[in-house]
């Protein structure tokens, strides 16, 4: 019997932290039928991490419908995520119909070992048909995209070369931590939720250095970025309100500029680490 871990699933394609509204139908752990409208937390080509308040039995099948495009297919419950912070159970699920592009995002198969270097994964959107792809760009393509705000590349749906732009992700309300202490240290400015909500995010995976005031540091990649903040996965143990120093971008190590940031939220990652949301504090 094959044991599927979410980490192994995630490695088959890039993952994207996308909050997609879904309807989940099936039987709960007590054998009772249920229907729940909820959302995804993380999606990849063949699965994802979803919030379902009903207790589920790993191994059972559920039906998920993407309420944005009405696509639906069968999934298997793989595991319950540990350390759910919201208190609402989060579940790793695996698609039983991998040919159905349920999330509305095309995920190319990711090369296995060795890990691809000099490739920047970004969520792109075709400007003609608005189909989305978690694209692997060369550094050169990425720089061109930044310089010209769009990149010509083939669109399978349009069957032609089209202009692609970076796909936006709306900031989720519950990721704007309401529990951030007012006094989290000298120099901290109380955050205005409205400011954060206006801030659109891009799914761009850039090399990232994270450094803590106590000297601990780690190399990671961004999961998404915005003008005022970023999200990343880390093994480092950080708490909401902690000050960190981040260095994201294509500069060689040592050349970049460490920017102070503050941890705003955290949640379990699908690979055993934690996702952290941090707000940049530069210039304040
Ligand atoms: Zn297109």
């Amino acid at each position: 019997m094959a044991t599927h871990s979410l980490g192994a699933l995630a490695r088959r394609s890039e993952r994207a932290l996308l909050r997609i509204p879904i309807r989940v139908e099936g039987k709960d752990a007590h054998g009772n039928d249920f229907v729940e409208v909820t959302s995804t937390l993380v999606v990849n080509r063949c699965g994802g991490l979803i919030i379902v308040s009903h207790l589920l039995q790993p191994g059972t099948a559920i039906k998920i419908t993407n309420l944005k495009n009405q696509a639906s297919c069968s999934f298997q419950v793989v595991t319950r995520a540990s350390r759910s912070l919201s208190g609402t159970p989060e579940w790793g699920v695996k698609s039983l119909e991998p040919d159905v592009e349920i999330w509305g995002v095309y995920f190319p198969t990711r090369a296995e070992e060795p890990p691809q270097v000099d490739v920047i994964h970004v969520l792109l959107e075709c400007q003609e048909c608005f189909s989305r792809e978690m694209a692997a760009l060369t550094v050169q393509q990425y720089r061109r995209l930044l310089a010209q705000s769009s990149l010509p590349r083939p669109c399978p749906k349009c069957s032609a070369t089209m202009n692609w732009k970076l796909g936006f992700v709306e900031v989720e309300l519950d990721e704007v931590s309401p529990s951030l202490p007012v006094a989290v240290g000298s120099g901290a400015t109380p955050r205005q939720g409205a400011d954060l909500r206006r801030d659109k995010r891009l799914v761009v995976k850039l090399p990232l250095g994270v450094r803590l005031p106590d000297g601990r540091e780690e190399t990671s990649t961004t999961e998404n970025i915005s003008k005022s903040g970023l999200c990343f996965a880390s093994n480092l143990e950080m708490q909401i309100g902690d000050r960190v120093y981040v260095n994201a971008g294509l500069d060689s190590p040592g050349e970049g500029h460490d920017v102070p940031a503050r941890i705003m939220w955290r949640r379990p990652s699908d690979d055993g680490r934690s996702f952290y949301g941090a707000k940049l504090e530069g210039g304040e």
Side-chain angles (χ1 to χ4, degrees):
M1 193 187 85
T3 311
H4 298 283
S5 77
L6 265 184
L9 289 175
R11 278 194 293 278
R12 290 187 205 160
S13 79
E14 275 300 316
R15 67 173 169 221
L17 272 69
L18 288 181
R19 202 54 99 84
I20 300 168
I22 55 172
R23 184 175 63 240
V24 180
E25 298 162 70
K27 286 191 189 300
D28 66 15
H30 308 293
N32 298 320
D33 291 327
F34 76 93
V35 179
E36 186 172 329
V37 173
T38 176
S39 72
T40 63
L41 292 168
V42 181
V43 298
N44 61 37
R45 191 164 64 115
C46 46
L49 187 66
I50 64 173
I51 299 172
V52 178
S53 64
H54 286 82
L55 209 53
L56 304 181
Q57 180 67 47
T60 56
I62 52 174
K63 182 181 166 193
I64 298 180
T65 302
N66 178 343
L67 297 177
K68 272 191 171 167
N69 62 8
Q70 301 305 319
S72 67
C73 76
S74 300
F75 282 78
Q76 186 180 49
V77 179
V78 179
T79 181
R80 179 175 178 169
S82 57
R83 301 177 297 135
S84 166
L85 299 174
S86 58
T88 308
E90 298 168 5
W91 307 87
V93 295
K94 181 186 80 159
S95 176
L96 296 173
E97 301 167 71
D99 292 338
V100 178
E101 205 176 278
I102 184 171
W103 307 132
V105 179
Y106 171 64
F107 289 92
T109 308
R110 196 163 82 175
E112 295 296 333
E113 301 300 319
Q116 291 162 288
V117 288
D118 298 336
V119 166
I120 311 291
H121 292 93
V122 299
L123 181 69
L124 292 182
E125 193 173 274
C126 170
Q127 291 307 285
E128 184 63 28
C129 69
F130 302 109
S131 58
R132 289 182 153 198
E133 177 179 339
M134 199 67 210
L137 302 185
T138 63
V139 170
Q140 195 178 17
Q141 287 173 320
Y142 178 69
R143 289 193 196 281
R144 185 174 169 189
L145 173 67
L146 290 191
Q148 302 176 352
S149 306
S150 72
L151 187 70
R153 59 198 299 280
C155 175
K157 287 216 174 85
C158 296
S159 300
T161 296
M162 290 293 165
N163 279 324
W164 292 70
K165 291 193 169 186
L166 285 162
F168 286 110
V169 185
E170 297 297 331
V171 173
E172 296 302 330
L173 298 183
D174 67 347
E175 290 179 1
V176 180
S177 172
S179 57
L180 185 71
V182 175
V184 285
S186 59
T189 314
R191 298 299 163 207
Q192 298 301 314
D195 289 344
L196 290 174
R197 283 194 287 274
R198 277 202 302 272
D199 200 10
K200 281 187 167 175
R201 273 191 242 176
L202 303 165
V203 179
V204 175
K205 307 209 171 187
L206 291 170
L208 173 74
V210 183
R211 187 165 59 81
L212 273 56
D214 65 9
R216 286 180 291 160
E217 54 187 345
E218 192 177 65
T219 304
S220 183
T221 50
T222 59
E223 297 290 334
N224 57 51
I225 58 174
S226 70
K227 256 197 304 196
S228 64
L230 51 87
C231 169
F232 58 94
S234 175
N235 287 307
L236 295 173
E237 180 68 20
M238 292 172 263
Q239 303 302 326
I240 290 170
D242 279 0
R243 159 72 63 84
V244 297
Y245 297 91
V246 294
N247 181 347
L250 300 171
D251 294 323
S252 304
E255 283 177 20
H257 178 58
D258 277 1
V259 178
R262 199 166 292 277
I263 300 298
M264 302 299 286
W265 57 265
R266 70 177 272 191
R267 61 164 60 253
S269 165
D270 51 344
D271 61 10
R273 297 183 288 174
S274 291
F275 287 126
Y276 291 98
K279 180 153 172 68
L280 302 179
E281 299 197 310
E284 286 180 30

